Amino acid sequence: MAETEKNAGRNHDTLNLYIYAAGVMLLFLDKQGIIREINRKGCEILGYDEDEILDKKFTEIFLSQAKTDQNQLAFLNYIAESKETSGSPEFDITTKNG
């Protein structure tokens, strides 16, 4: 294995360690809004086990049912943007226990 590959592997392992040990929620979505990764704190805050939410649509699980269509559209438009934005919109989410 080349030295560059070894370093990349170590860097990836270190990044994963930080992500999963972080004291804040970190949630990674793809451009379709599918949950690809979540850290331990995120599961704790949201009340779900990792296997209950991975590979599921964020909008279907967490966005308020009262404003589902409006929130889903705004959320999907936001994550579909390919350019960087100066601010981040806020979305009310619903945890497992409501």
Side-chain angles (χ1 to χ4, degrees):
M1 182 180 291
E3 190 64 30
T4 304
E5 291 175 1
K6 287 180 186 176
N7 287 337
R10 280 194 294 268
N11 289 342
H12 185 265
D13 291 344
T14 301
L15 178 61
N16 280 338
L17 185 87
Y18 287 131
I19 289 170
Y20 288 99
V24 296
M25 180 172 73
L26 295 170
L27 183 80
F28 299 90
L29 308 171
D30 65 16
K31 288 209 177 239
Q32 288 75 40
I34 305 294
I35 302 164
R36 297 301 178 193
E37 293 284 338
I38 186 166
N39 68 347
R40 190 174 332 157
K41 188 66 172 182
C43 289
E44 180 183 315
I45 290 169
L46 297 170
Y48 287 89
D49 291 329
E50 187 177 289
D51 62 337
E52 291 180 281
I53 60 174
L54 285 182
D55 300 321
K56 303 229 172 45
K57 285 191 117 175
F58 180 86
T59 55
E60 292 175 1
I61 299 174
F62 297 112
L63 291 185
S64 171
Q65 294 302 313
K67 300 181 195 175
T68 299
D69 292 339
Q70 179 185 0
N71 275 346
Q72 283 187 17
L73 181 59
F75 181 79
L76 291 173
N77 284 336
Y78 176 72
I79 65 168
E81 292 282 323
S82 59
K83 62 181 186 212
E84 289 188 30
T85 58
S86 61
S88 298
E90 293 184 15
F91 299 93
D92 293 331
I93 61 171
T94 305
T95 61
K96 189 173 184 176
N97 65 4

